[in-house]
Amino acid sequence: MAENCSHDCASCGANCSSRQGEMPKIKPHLLSRIKHVIGVVSGKGGVGKSFVTGLLASEMTRRGFACGILDGDITGPSIPKMFGVHERATGDQDGIYPVTTASGIQIMSLNLLLENETEPVIWRGALITGTVQQFWTDVVWKDIDYLFIDMPPGTGDVTLTVFQSLPVDGIIMVSSPQDLVQLIVGKAVKMAQKMNVPILGLVENMSYLQCPDCGKQIALFGPSKVEKTAHEFGISPAVRLPLNPDVTTAIDNGQMESVRQEAIAPLADKLTQLA
């Protein structure tokens, strides 16, 4: 054990004797009913991780499953705006209640607790990880088939805390075609593998722009690397999502639930198999 140990393994990366056994998982709220927990992870910011989270939750809802989104990106929450949700979450003596979207997706995000959603969140790591855990323990998630956790980018405190203390069934890795992104994705994949967290699929977002006139796929950020990356790390399925200005407009207008992407179907099929 490290000399200056804080006894909080959830926010520590040291490989000491205290880690010889698996950490016990934190139980959700007593009134919560959650069947499957899916993390959505990216090694780098700006690749569309929150978009993929919203896309999967919307698609699984259309398939008849009850879905929720735990917005774990505490300092950069974007899920509520994508779904056009601006009301504040409520609570009582039993717990905190997520806000429900038009199609029935339950959402909990720090933005739903702030008086002004544009206020910056200037917190240190321990407070951020503690908030993510409270979204699990203090929020009443009602009859959820799939709870998607929108992680902050990277392999820091929140990702480590979620992997160690929450019963994650698996993660979806999100990337984009740039070489730099692929390098960082590799780090996130190896982290998940070291912590025995199953990787359920790989999404290459902004993979191409399809010309509206001729239908040609234009690789704005370079040739696709999703198949190579998926083969290297043994990940399946691997899907490519296009860069679509109409989708961007819909999300800016809070219409995430109206967005459909056929390419995401293999991932949705794999999640359906968990049920």
Side-chain angles (χ1 to χ4, degrees), residues 53-62 83 105 256-257 259:
T53 301
L55 193 63
L56 283 170
S58 299
E59 175 61 26
M60 297 306 289
T61 298
R62 282 191 288 267
F83 283 87
I105 299 173
M256 181 72 242
E257 288 155 304
V259 175

Side-chain angles (χ1 to χ4, degrees), residues 212-256:
D213 296 324
C214 67
K216 179 181 178 180
Q217 294 185 0
I218 305 170
L220 292 177
F221 300 111
S224 173
K225 300 174 181 65
V226 67
E227 294 295 341
K228 177 182 177 182
T229 304
H231 178 74
E232 179 180 355
F233 295 106
I235 303 172
S236 178
V239 303
R240 301 170 64 206
L241 296 180
L243 182 64
N244 189 328
D246 292 336
V247 169
T248 302
T249 300
I251 293 173
D252 286 344
N253 292 330
Q255 299 172 350
M256 181 72 242

Side-chain angles (χ1 to χ4, degrees), residues 89-105:
T90 59
D92 56 24
Q93 69 274 10
D94 290 329
I96 304 171
Y97 298 97
V99 175
T100 302
T101 70
S103 68
I105 299 173

